[in-house]
Amino acid sequence: MPCHNQQLSSVTSGQEHPMKQVRFANNNSSNSVPAVLPNADPTDATLHPVSQDDLGPQLKLLPLNDQIRELQTIIRDKTTSRGDFVFCADRLIRLVVEEGLNQLPYSECTVTTPTGHKYEGVKFERGNCGVSIMRSGEAMEQGLRDCCRSIRIGKILIQSDEETQKAKVYYAKFPPDVYRRKVLLMYPILSTGNTVIEAVRVLIEHGVQPRHIILLSLFSTPHGAKSIIQEFPDITILTTEVHSVAPTHFGQRYFGTD
């Protein structure tokens, strides 16, 4: 499945308004999904789309279709059973992981078919790994292993400090040569973006360049995506939806701790 950057239309005006609107998915504006930035004033009826400069090409969205839309709906529905929730979440994770792998470098190669013919194809370049942000990010590990069974996966545990409420790293374990690898960073829900920002800082401390990090996510808020891109302009974010209300119950429902 190809991935397209979101198409953002521009509206010029002589006045500035605190409410901004982002339209995603397809080029047909009637099917666009609005997402309101956190500084929006709900009493202001005038909407302005965020420009490409606000989010940039680093944010990539899977093309919205009925299959993805249904999976998003089931995951958000409070009446969904845990079995259906996990099943649909795994399907959506697989779609994101496969597109994430499509963002990695390939090289051309020639193989010989069983009939003796030569075939010009491509293969993965070596030097990739996955890193999951515990605990919800671990839900995406199996989807990555299903696509790349030999890929190495590191882990980061980040929790909010009870006193300061700031994200704090409690555990981090990566492949020893992570600084030479392309990293698929896995975290399904981007709400504020603080956890991911802290995780990227840890990877940078281990020598990973932000341009070699692809963040795989299922849902993101405009604020979360914008915060991460402003902090790390070279990072790539891949997700299925940017919406002002993210399903923050994902981890609890997936692991049955709600």
Side-chain angles (χ1 to χ4, degrees), residues 20-34:
K20 298 179 180 179
Q21 185 183 38
V22 191
R23 295 192 181 276
F24 300 106
N26 15 32
N27 295 329
N28 186 350
S29 59
S30 62
N31 294 327
S32 302
V33 181

Side-chain angles (χ1 to χ4, degrees), residues 60-72:
K60 300 179 183 293
L61 291 169
L62 268 68
L64 187 64
N65 54 40
D66 289 341
Q67 177 186 199
I68 291 177
R69 192 66 172 152
E70 182 193 29
L71 295 175
Q72 294 171 341

Side-chain angles (χ1 to χ4, degrees), residues 10 26 58 91 117 131 193 195 223 228:
S10 60
N26 15 32
Q58 296 89 345
R91 285 184 61 195
H117 293 86
V131 173
T195 298
H223 174 70
I228 295 169

Side-chain angles (χ1 to χ4, degrees), residues 55-124:
L55 294 175
Q58 296 89 345
L59 179 63
K60 300 179 183 293
L61 291 169
L62 268 68
L64 187 64
N65 54 40
D66 289 341
Q67 177 186 199
I68 291 177
R69 192 66 172 152
E70 182 193 29
L71 295 175
Q72 294 171 341
T73 302
I74 295 173
I75 290 173
R76 289 180 180 275
D77 189 350
K78 68 178 182 180
T79 65
T80 299
S81 67
R82 179 172 178 264
D84 288 343
F85 184 96
V86 172
F87 178 80
C88 291
D90 286 342
R91 285 184 61 195
L92 195 58
I93 288 169
R94 180 67 177 261
L95 294 174
V96 172
V97 166
E98 288 182 350
E99 183 52 45
L101 295 175
N102 197 42
Q103 305 296 314
L104 296 174
Y106 287 77
S107 59
E108 295 182 355
C109 68
T110 302
V111 297
T112 303
T113 70
T115 57
H117 293 86
K118 298 293 183 181
Y119 178 78
E120 302 293 334
V122 297
K123 64 179 179 179
F124 264 131

Side-chain angles (χ1 to χ4, degrees), residues 116-229:
H117 293 86
K118 298 293 183 181
Y119 178 78
E120 302 293 334
V122 297
K123 64 179 179 179
F124 264 131
E125 290 187 3
R126 293 183 177 273
N128 306 311
C129 73
V131 173
S132 64
I133 301 177
M134 302 163 64
R135 180 180 188 195
S136 60
E138 294 176 303
M140 306 179 73
E141 290 183 6
Q142 189 58 49
L144 180 57
R145 288 195 175 98
D146 288 342
C147 297
C148 296
R149 60 182 180 181
S150 61
I151 194 167
R152 303 190 66 177
I153 297 179
K155 294 178 183 290
I156 303 177
L157 175 60
I158 299 175
Q159 294 180 343
S160 297
D161 187 272
E162 294 182 358
E163 296 181 358
T164 64
Q165 298 303 312
K166 292 184 179 181
K168 183 178 179 180
V169 179
Y170 286 86
Y171 174 83
K173 185 174 179 62
F174 310 123
D177 60 345
V178 66
Y179 61 92
R180 295 192 298 185
R181 296 174 180 263
K182 304 290 192 303
V183 176
L184 296 172
L185 183 61
M186 297 174 284
Y187 197 60
I189 310 297
L190 305 182
S191 182
T192 65
N194 293 338
T195 298
V196 171
I197 288 173
E198 196 62 36
V200 173
R201 287 173 178 165
V202 174
L203 287 170
I204 292 174
E205 290 175 359
H206 283 75
V208 180
Q209 300 181 38
R211 63 187 176 89
H212 290 162
I213 300 174
I214 300 174
L215 174 60
L216 305 184
S217 175
L218 304 184
F219 301 89
S220 174
T221 64
H223 174 70
K226 188 174 181 180
S227 297
I228 295 169
I229 291 173

